[in-house]
Amino acid sequence: MNKAGVPDEVPVLVAGGGPVGLATAVELAHHGVRSLVVEPRETVSWLRPRAKTTSARTMELLRRWGLAETLRARAPLAVSWSDQAVFVNSLLGREIARIGGCFGLDLAGSDLAAEPGQQAPQPLVEEILREAAGDALLTGWQVAGLTEDGDGVTVRIVSGEGEEREVRAAYVVGCDGPRSVTRAAIGARYEGRQDARPNFNIVFRAPGLAERVPHGPAVHYWVLNPAQPGLTGRLDLKDTWWCIAQGVRAEDADPVRLVRNLAGDDDLEVEILATDPWTARMLLADRYASARVFLAGDAAHQNPPYGGHGFNTGIGDAVNIGWKLAAVLNGWAPAALLGTYEAERRPIAADTIEAAAANMATLAPELADPALMGDEAEFEKVRPAVAEAVLRTKHSEFHSLDLVLGYVYTGSPIVADGAGERLPHRWLAPGVSLYDRLGRGFAVLGDPDAPGVKILEAEARDLGVPLELVPLPGEPLTLVRPDQHVAWRGENPEGALRHALAMS
Ligand SMILES: Cc1cc2nc3c(=O)[nH]c(=O)nc-3n(C[C@H](O)[C@H](O)[C@H](O)COP(=O)(O)OP(=O)(O)OC[C@H]3O[C@@H](n4cnc5c(N)ncnc54)[C@H](O)[C@@H]3O)c2cc1C
């Protein structure tokens, strides 16, 4: 340690302590690897609650870290509270259509996932991850630059007071968001496009508004008013709400008026707590890594928020690079394993960007119709056609389990042909998922008497790889990686573990 309480050396330095940087530190700690997360913000940004959708897959990963119950217990909207998205002509007005079972919120007890999704403001997720990261988190400092050589990376960090330090790390993970210093330092570039329409987020307090909403609980209320399209929802069960006004430039925005328009009440009592203008971007870094520096989360990819994939995709990155770095640093994999990170994660980000862009093609402005704002007869005349358009165009945005749970590391050099998918979850006993039995390293599932088990156990012993046997009598052998993805399936696992660790 040097004078400022900053270590001189650390196995992994993580640039940025947003959700993805913190998750990277938690994943590393899960495998016993120390890291330092360098983050300028002393506290999380309660008034900038960007992500609200924590996907079923992210919840499964939080369960793996022992944090799923913590998030549910502290989330202001219980998962049982609502799984509905309601389409209305104003928050206090008429209902046009509704979609249920949104965002995997209806998956409690399901055979599809060990955890349902959870609505939670991003700062709450970050706070829980900050607590879990513990001493690994260094706030009040930011990464100013880095130099990589054959043995490691020298990272220059600067405090809010302008103090400078150098930290030596074996590896760096750049989770420093859209304007990533790390991305620039390794010469990687964002490629892609941005949406032309501006968006304006507002956090507001409106006492008594919730009690007047005639549509019942919903996680999203989409307002299809051509004069002021947007979407809104509750941040808690008190009086705090979020909304996105679409097509509104920050310089033209009158936040109180925007909220009143979305609510459909010109006299609504509103207290504006914060505003946050943003633009939707479809960007993917042209490469994800140098030899010792890896990009994760928004530093590597950005997608429109429709479908709620941004930080969730980043958590998938964090787990993928986290277990691989730990395997290398713990001495049971060669550095070549790290070269598979980009091959596995970049195609997933590309698919996610395209799916989110497709979701953005039809938003409240496109669905809105002036007749929806007319008298009851005019409304009823157009309602069926608008409802049909809503259900036709928006269903996949709210039901994207293929993307959330179904992604496969096709083409990865370390998964066997036909493997690479997330191990299907199943319940072994009430409340006990197969995932709960996998251990922290690799796992072999299947008949404990199969000859292949001995082969894998011997290979694991030779290589020093932690391997957990999960007996499933009568079932074929499956080799599962630390990230719960299937590395191999079959009868003769000769060489399967070496292949999964990029040794062959
Ligand atoms: C309106 C809106 C709604 C959204 N809804 C969802 C949703 O429902 N679900 C979802 O999954 N995603 C959603 N997103 C996307 C989500 O907010 C981002 O994908 C997420 O914040 C990315 O996390 P990150 O950790 O990669 O980056 P960030 O959250 O951007 O964190 C980067 C961190 O790096 C720090 N930093 C910056 N520069 C440096 C530096 N030089 N050195 C050190 N640290 C640095 C920053 O302070 C910050 O803490 C939404 C986004 C928007 C705009």
Side-chain angles (χ1 to χ4, degrees):
M1 284 276 191
N2 58 32
K3 283 199 304 251
V6 176
D8 296 319
E9 275 183 61
V10 70
V12 182
L13 185 141
V14 179
V20 177
L22 293 165
T24 303
V26 172
E27 178 66 17
L28 287 164
H30 184 73
H31 300 288
V33 172
R34 210 160 46 82
S35 67
L36 180 73
V37 181
V38 179
E39 164 60 43
R41 289 178 301 148
E42 297 285 359
T43 58
V44 301
S45 313
W46 286 110
L47 291 177
R48 207 163 174 255
R50 290 194 149 191
K52 287 106 200 159
T53 299
T54 301
S55 72
R57 182 59 187 149
T58 298
M59 288 306 295
E60 288 181 342
L61 294 168
L62 288 169
R63 177 187 182 108
R64 186 166 153 279
W65 296 322
L67 299 175
E69 278 315 308
T70 313
L71 180 61
R72 290 206 200 282
R74 285 161 59 178
L77 307 180
V79 67
S80 56
W81 180 72
S82 178
D83 62 12
Q84 304 283 304
V86 185
F87 296 75
V88 297
N89 68 355
S90 75
L91 185 59
L92 298 173
R94 298 191 181 100
E95 177 173 329
I96 300 157
R98 68 171 56 220
I99 295 177
C102 296
F103 300 131
L105 293 167
D106 59 340
L107 292 178
S110 153
D111 289 333
L112 291 176
E115 293 282 342
Q118 174 68 55
Q119 292 297 109
Q122 184 169 328
L124 175 64
V125 177
E126 288 183 29
E127 187 159 87
I128 287 166
L129 289 171
R130 276 184 177 222
E131 290 164 12
D135 290 347
L137 178 62
L138 175 71
T139 58
W141 291 75
Q142 61 181 340
V143 171
L146 49 90
T147 320
E148 186 175 353
D149 55 55
D151 301 323
V153 189
T154 301
V155 185
R156 195 158 53 82
I157 67 171
V158 182
S159 77
E161 290 76 44
E163 199 179 341
E164 281 195 25
R165 288 276 180 268
E166 280 187 353
V167 184
R168 183 78 179 156
Y171 296 99
V172 169
V173 187
C175 307
D176 44 350
R179 283 178 290 280
S180 171
V181 168
T182 321
R183 189 178 61 240
I186 63 165
R189 289 182 29 208
Y190 262 160
E191 290 174 344
R193 56 202 197 277
Q194 75 172 50
D195 190 45
R197 290 170 292 188
N199 301 282
F200 195 75
N201 277 19
I202 306 169
V203 176
F204 62 94
R205 192 173 289 132
L209 174 60
E211 290 68 30
R212 295 168 57 206
V213 173
H215 318 295
V219 293
H220 280 194
Y221 300 93
W222 284 49
V223 177
L224 310 187
N225 173 357
Q228 183 48 71
L231 56 152
T232 184
R234 297 180 75 173
L235 270 177
D236 57 34
L237 292 182
K238 297 176 195 141
D239 299 316
T240 321
W241 293 71
W242 59 272
C243 75
I244 304 176
Q246 289 155 337
V248 175
R249 295 190 308 173
E251 52 272 36
D252 303 333
D254 174 348
V256 171
R257 176 111 317 271
L258 287 170
V259 171
R260 287 179 174 164
N261 285 348
L262 288 171
D265 177 352
D266 290 341
D267 302 315
L268 185 74
E269 202 189 308
V270 188
E271 181 190 352
I272 303 296
L273 300 179
T275 60
D276 181 15
W278 57 276
T279 307
R281 297 197 164 88
M282 286 121 317
L283 296 173
L284 184 60
D286 59 350
R287 58 197 184 88
Y288 267 32
S290 61
R292 290 183 174 272
V293 181
F294 305 86
L295 304 176
D298 276 21
H301 47 77
Q302 271 187 276
N303 58 257
Y306 303 102
H309 298 299
F311 107 84
N312 289 300
T313 311
I315 300 294
D317 297 343
V319 171
N320 193 293
I321 191 59
W323 82 259
K324 289 175 181 173
L325 282 170
V328 172
L329 287 161
N330 287 331
W332 39 275
L337 180 64
L338 305 175
T340 66
Y341 167 65
E342 173 173 330
E344 293 195 339
R345 292 304 302 173
R346 195 168 175 275
I348 306 300
D351 288 351
T352 306
I353 290 168
E354 288 319 311
N359 291 339
M360 191 172 62
T362 311
L363 297 178
E366 287 74 40
L367 292 162
D369 186 315
L372 291 170
M373 310 313 293
D375 61 23
E376 195 167 348
E378 286 171 282
F379 175 86
E380 284 304 337
K381 206 162 152 212
V382 292
R383 195 195 65 80
V386 178
E388 186 277 326
V390 165
L391 300 180
R392 178 167 39 80
T393 60
K394 297 282 70 174
H395 183 85
S396 57
E397 175 170 332
F398 294 101
H399 297 92
S400 56
L401 292 184
D402 50 341
L403 202 61
V404 169
L405 300 177
Y407 60 83
V408 182
Y409 294 140
T410 320
S412 163
I414 54 164
V415 300
D417 287 348
E421 77 280 19
R422 160 185 163 276
L423 174 73
H425 141 84
R426 72 170 95 158
W427 297 111
L428 298 179
V432 181
S433 165
L434 176 57
Y435 294 162
D436 303 337
R437 295 281 158 82
L438 295 180
R440 297 189 179 201
F442 276 76
V444 52
L445 278 54
D447 198 314
D449 298 326
V453 171
K454 293 266 171 313
I455 296 174
L456 277 169
E457 285 180 336
E459 201 174 336
R461 240 186 341 268
D462 283 355
L463 299 171
V465 176
L467 179 75
E468 187 81 23
L469 172 63
V470 182
L472 297 174
E475 296 197 22
L477 291 187
T478 303
L479 179 64
V480 182
R481 314 189 321 180
D483 60 359
Q484 303 173 339
H485 279 252
V486 174
W488 170 91
R489 265 201 196 86
E491 277 173 24
N492 180 4
E494 202 90 50
L497 195 54
R498 298 180 71 85
H499 186 251
L501 290 165
M503 292 178 183
S504 60

